[in-house]
Amino acid sequence: MSAPALAEMADFKGGTVPTIFIDGEAGTTGLLIRDRLAGLDTVSLLSIAPEDRKDPAVRQALMREADLVILCLPDAASREAVALADALGTDAPRLLDASSAYRTAPDWAYGFPELTAGQTQAIRTAARVSNPGCYATGAIALLRPLVDAGLIPADFPVTINAVSGYSGGGRSMIEAHEAAGGPPFELYALGLEHKHVPEIEVQSRLARRPLFVPSVGHFARGMLVSIPLHLEALPGRPASGDLAAALAAHYADAADITVSAAPLTRLEPEDLNGTNAMSLHVLANDARGHALLVARLDNLGKGASGAAVQNLQLMLGLPA
């Protein structure tokens, strides 16, 4: 299915405003997306009764009515939902998937508008868009411009460390942290496998799988993603200022992404909570030849629901 650009559409299925169905609206991301959309008069939201949330026939009927369906489901359930949409043929809606099922699929647009100069237009005209992962958003935002600029080779051994609020870990993790005496901090994915790694590798244009070590802190939301670098190990031995300049040039026109090379003594993961902003920092000890790249974002904002709404607005031609 190829979706026409909004400018070419005479109207929407439900009239003059697009109709949205959130499949999986009861989860954390789905609830936040619905909250963000509920106050807009530029969209019409479809709802599913709680008892029908797992009924394929009811869900497919709502898909038939919708101009765009947002999938807030686990990977396997997301693939099943895509099959339901496919079965509608010419009545199929456009899809925005918040799972990790399609983030490296070549026939899905990757929903990071700031990724490259042409990414915004690719999202606008795509029939299917995959919303980025939270950790991946921070890592790719730091790495892709530097790989494209030749400052970090594609085969460079990259190490990524990250800490997130517990809200991104699903119901069991949320319940564990919100219970009295929940863990203050924990590393996880210690088998060095994480579902965001393939996405980071592909979308950053890395030729070598990065080493990724995620962690969770005892705070609800917020995120820091950091990448340490030995500058003398990079070809041409760039200065930290070269890295900052490349990032600043890449994001010069980005509304929600800022770049800073100002020295800092600390960074708090919660400072951008409730926003769609992301701040990128290049911290350095020039005397030692060391640099630290850091992305700060709300894991439920630019890292999830905020990014989904941004992509939805692009796909449907709605004002930001």
Side-chain angles (χ1 to χ4, degrees):
M1 172 182 126
S2 60
L6 187 68
E8 299 171 356
M9 297 175 67
D11 55 16
F12 297 103
K13 290 181 181 179
T16 58
V17 298
T19 301
I20 311 298
F21 170 48
I22 304 171
D23 194 1
E25 68 178 18
T28 302
T29 299
L31 287 170
L32 286 171
I33 292 172
R34 188 170 184 85
D35 286 347
R36 286 172 179 254
L37 297 179
L40 301 180
D41 58 8
T42 52
V43 298
S44 174
L45 291 174
L46 298 173
S47 282
I48 188 168
E51 64 271 19
D52 293 329
R53 286 174 183 158
K54 294 186 178 181
D55 187 322
V58 176
R59 291 163 57 214
Q60 189 180 53
L62 289 168
M63 289 181 181
R64 188 185 298 274
E65 292 183 50
D67 295 289
L68 187 144
V69 173
I70 306 174
L71 305 177
C72 298
L73 303 164
D75 287 9
S78 179
R79 293 187 181 97
E80 292 171 0
V82 170
L84 289 176
D86 283 345
L88 292 173
T90 57
D91 287 332
R94 298 171 77 184
L95 300 176
L96 174 58
D97 181 34
S99 81
S100 61
Y102 298 100
R103 290 174 182 161
T104 61
D107 54 340
W108 285 66
Y110 189 62
F112 189 177
E114 301 87 358
L115 183 69
T116 65
Q119 199 66 19
T120 294
Q121 184 60 19
I123 294 166
R124 281 194 180 112
T125 58
R128 298 178 175 188
V129 175
S130 183
N131 214 52
C134 52
Y135 289 124
T137 296
I140 294 164
L142 293 167
L143 289 168
R144 178 63 179 268
L146 301 181
V147 172
D148 285 351
L151 294 170
I152 294 180
D155 62 351
F156 192 75
V158 171
T159 296
I160 305 165
N161 302 291
V163 60
S164 174
Y166 60 76
S167 56
R171 179 177 298 175
S172 61
M173 182 175 287
I174 292 171
E175 290 175 350
H177 278 270
E178 292 186 346
F185 180 86
E186 54 189 342
L187 294 174
Y188 72 104
L190 297 181
L192 303 182
E193 294 284 348
H194 191 280
K195 66 180 182 178
H196 288 183
V197 174
E199 174 186 1
I200 294 170
E201 184 177 1
V202 169
Q203 303 300 344
S204 298
R205 289 189 171 171
L206 296 175
R208 177 183 291 192
R209 182 180 175 90
L211 180 61
F212 177 48
V213 183
S215 60
V216 175
H218 192 54
F219 53 94
R221 56 197 290 184
M223 175 171 284
L224 295 173
V225 180
S226 59
I227 302 172
L229 294 170
H230 288 273
L231 296 176
E232 70 273 11
L234 295 172
R237 299 190 174 188
S240 61
D242 298 325
L243 305 180
L247 289 171
H250 184 89
Y251 296 110
D253 298 324
D256 298 321
I257 301 177
T258 59
V259 177
S260 173
L264 298 169
T265 57
R266 66 182 64 208
L267 273 170
E268 299 289 345
E270 300 173 281
D271 283 354
L272 298 179
N273 283 3
T275 77
N276 204 43
M278 177 164 56
S279 63
L280 306 180
H281 303 265
V282 180
L283 307 170
N285 183 329
D286 291 320
R288 302 291 187 184
H290 294 166
L292 181 66
L293 311 177
V294 184
R296 176 173 52 184
L297 63 155
D298 181 356
N299 62 295
L300 298 182
K302 184 63 171 172
S305 59
V309 172
Q310 182 183 13
N311 286 319
L312 176 148
Q313 289 167 329
L314 289 172
M315 293 174 76
L316 297 175
L318 303 177

